[in-house]
Amino acid sequence: VNKKLGNKDKLIIPIPKQFVYLLALIFERINSTAPFTTEHVNALGENTNMNTTMIETDLDFNPINLNEMLNIIIEQIKKDPPNLL
């Protein structure tokens, strides 16, 4: 997304899930409001594939993949940038 918007490249460092889970446990024990919890870590590892056959049939719904949708959204933002101030 950053590249498509023309932003500089960002460094992405993969961190093992077990390590992040351990950090979440520590944060939960130390802070009353942890920046992230073990539930957050578990949710990131869940399978998000959905069967959309019924909704496609019942509502004539045609899903598109994430990359296609990002391209549509980014083009719209470039044409009409939001006024955030």
Side-chain angles (χ1 to χ4, degrees):
V1 174
N2 280 325
K3 288 180 184 178
K4 290 181 181 181
L5 288 173
N7 295 335
K8 293 182 179 180
D9 292 336
K10 293 186 178 183
L11 179 65
I12 298 175
I13 301 171
I15 301 172
K17 182 180 176 183
Q18 294 83 2
F19 180 72
V20 176
Y21 192 87
L22 177 63
L23 283 177
L25 278 173
I26 293 168
F27 284 141
E28 287 175 347
R29 301 291 188 267
I30 294 174
N31 298 340
S32 58
T33 54
F36 60 91
T37 66
T38 54
E39 285 298 317
H40 294 131
V41 176
N42 287 332
L44 290 174
E46 290 181 0
N47 183 358
T48 57
N49 291 330
M50 292 191 252
N51 183 356
T52 59
T53 306
M54 289 177 62
I55 194 169
E56 289 173 27
T57 305
D58 292 347
L59 302 176
D60 195 28
F61 174 70
N62 297 312
I64 61 175
N65 70 37
L66 181 61
N67 283 331
E68 290 177 46
M69 181 53 74
L70 281 176
N71 287 333
I72 293 169
I73 292 170
I74 289 169
E75 286 304 315
Q76 183 63 36
I77 289 172
K78 285 180 179 179
K79 288 179 188 172
D80 186 23
N83 185 3
L84 301 175
L85 297 176

